Amino acid sequence: MQSIKNYIEENKPRFLEELFALLRFPSVSADPAYKNDVLATADFVAQKLRDAGAQNVEVCPTSGYPIVYGEKIINNNLPTVLVYGHYDVQPADPLELWHTPPFEPTVRDGKIYARGACDDKGQFYMHVKAFEAMMHTDNLPCNIKFMIEGEEEVGSDNLGKFVAANKERLAADVVLISDTSMISMETPSLETGLRGLSYMEVEVTGPNRDLHSGVYGGAVANPATILCQMIASLHDENNHITIPGFYDGVVELTEEERKDLNSAPFDLEEYKKDLEIEEVWGENGYSTLERTGTRPTLEVNGIWGGYTGAGAKTVLPSKAFAKISMRLVPGQDWEKISELFTEHFVSIAPKSVKVKVTKHHGGAAYVTPTDSPAFQAAYQAIEESFGKAPVPTRGGGSIPIVALFEEELGIKTVLMGFGLDSDNLHSPNEKYDIFNYYKGIETIPLFFKHFAELENK
Ligand code: BES
Ligand code: MN
Ligand code: MN
């Protein structure tokens, strides 16, 4: 029987071509204009699962975009791994900042440039190919289930219902996800946590219509100015968030945990250089790694109102808007935080304006145990394929559905991501290194091997 390694080696060019085909689908879940493309992507993924050897493959409808399911059950006495990923991508704009078209994957300097290259098409597809390699070489040591959704980038609204309604079908011993980052290929790492999220939108209304800013300016509250003042007041001079109750329940790290976290390789000068900033920013008393990995934050994602077209228009706008998100840590309840935000934001509005707050999506933070067989299997798999033990890290991003897997299915998640923070996720010129793609395909079967051994002990 051919070894997995050989099989992968021989099929690398095809594995890359298939990923390119997947990346050519503009599966932007946020924009209804791409509806047919998103649906077509689901069918493509389903077909690739079938081709790889999965059974009971189904494109499961939801009231939003479908969830692609497939499985290979070899023996009910063996452990089962549930692979989760998402085939939807973030919008590609601003298009003019891309060096090559976002949905025409292009290789430069060994990196694949395309929207979704890293988040998450390039990463979940590694699992499809690793599965194919295990199947074709008769080397699949665990049962496997795939659940690839199409609404992760818009809050996974329908996945919760699907999971609740399919508990038996989804029963597994661990959820395995590749949708996070490593420190670098020289310093492999394994994320032990994700932050939660609460996403809000605010609308501030002043006068009932846009006004001439000379005729009325100075006498009527400008909602754009007021909105800026309100937003500015959400952080104090120490960059603490001022919403009453916001930090209630936040789990602080022990000194030991802080020391561990801060011992991860991190070069602040490189970080600043990469971003072309003179200084970092954040909550006083915490390091950059702590600020992104373990502390809650509040960010303005977008702010608009009034005239933003060409040239100048002297106007006092009637309305101003902002999208504001908060990253949460263990101990914070995202629904509660959304309420606290709403109450506070309404309470700080001066009488001269009206405020409307709406809630988008959210989800809880997640921390994975590092003493579980699954985490140990991921650890050993990375150690074996990189020749170096991974550094445990806490990631700043969110996959809100992970906490729900634990609630609904009672299973823990292992975050075995192969991206890099510098892969431009959600940004122009998203990329994924071909090296990382192949490395992932090689590492995943090792996870299955170690997990089968450790879980059966
Ligand atoms: N894959 C990311 C999350 C991520 C990226 C975690 C890098 C760790 C490191 C995921 O697709 C994502 O973008 N999540 C969103 C939340 C979602 C509700 C839109 C996020 O983190 O903003
Ligand atoms: Mn993702
Ligand atoms: Mn994303």
Side-chain angles (χ1 to χ4, degrees), residues 86 119 152-153 179-181 197 327 361 397-398 400 425-426:
H86 61 94
D119 184 11
E152 197 276 342
E153 299 292 8
D179 192 23
T180 52
S181 319
L197 184 72
R327 295 284 166 174
H361 49 75
S398 308
L425 316 185
H426 297 200

Side-chain angles (χ1 to χ4, degrees), residues 15 22 30 39 132 138 143 172 208 288 324 398 410 439:
F15 289 176
L22 175 61
L39 294 172
E132 176 193 313
D138 242 336
N143 301 312
N208 61 0
T288 296
I324 297 173
S398 308
K439 200 74 177 165

Side-chain angles (χ1 to χ4, degrees), residues 4-168:
I4 301 182
K5 231 183 150 120
N6 279 342
Y7 183 87
I8 294 173
E9 208 45 56
E10 279 171 17
N11 288 283
K12 275 180 173 176
R14 177 172 57 80
F15 289 176
L16 196 59
E17 275 314 310
E18 290 180 18
L19 174 59
F20 282 13
L22 175 61
L23 290 169
R24 287 192 188 101
F25 288 90
S27 54
V28 179
S29 51
D31 186 345
Y34 294 98
K35 184 170 179 196
N36 288 334
D37 300 296
V38 184
L39 294 172
T41 315
D43 291 336
F44 178 90
V45 172
Q47 192 50 47
K48 289 299 173 192
L49 280 175
R50 281 185 205 105
D51 295 347
Q55 292 169 338
N56 301 320
V57 175
E58 198 185 323
V59 176
C60 310
T62 71
S63 44
Y65 286 120
I67 292 158
V68 183
Y69 179 83
E71 62 184 23
K72 180 71 191 179
I73 308 297
I74 43 177
N75 182 335
N76 280 323
N77 296 321
L78 287 174
T80 302
V81 177
L82 174 59
V83 174
Y84 163 85
H86 61 94
Y87 64 82
D88 65 322
V89 299
Q90 287 272 325
D93 52 283
L95 280 179
E96 64 278 13
L97 296 183
W98 284 79
H99 300 313
T100 47
F103 297 107
E104 187 40 64
T106 311
V107 176
R108 285 196 298 282
D109 198 17
K111 298 166 184 78
I112 311 158
Y113 285 84
R115 171 55 87 231
C118 175
D119 184 11
D120 178 39
K121 286 173 173 173
Q123 294 213 60
F124 90 74
Y125 204 66
M126 298 181 314
H127 287 268
V128 182
K129 294 300 97 181
F131 168 61
E132 176 193 313
M134 291 188 279
M135 286 295 289
H136 280 251
T137 57
D138 242 336
N139 263 315
L140 183 67
C142 305
N143 301 312
I144 184 167
K145 298 178 176 179
F146 284 92
M147 177 170 60
I148 313 295
E149 72 151 319
E151 298 185 309
E152 197 276 342
E153 299 292 8
V154 289
S156 305
D157 281 349
N158 296 291
L159 190 68
K161 261 176 258 161
F162 179 81
V163 170
N166 288 276
K167 286 189 184 176
E168 217 154 288

Side-chain angles (χ1 to χ4, degrees), residues 10 24 50 101 123 137 248 255 299 317 335 347 376 385 394 418 428:
E10 279 171 17
R24 287 192 188 101
R50 281 185 205 105
Q123 294 213 60
T137 57
D248 288 359
E255 275 313 310
E299 296 295 335
E335 310 243 24
S347 81
Q376 288 305 319
S385 81
R394 287 274 284 264
F418 294 86

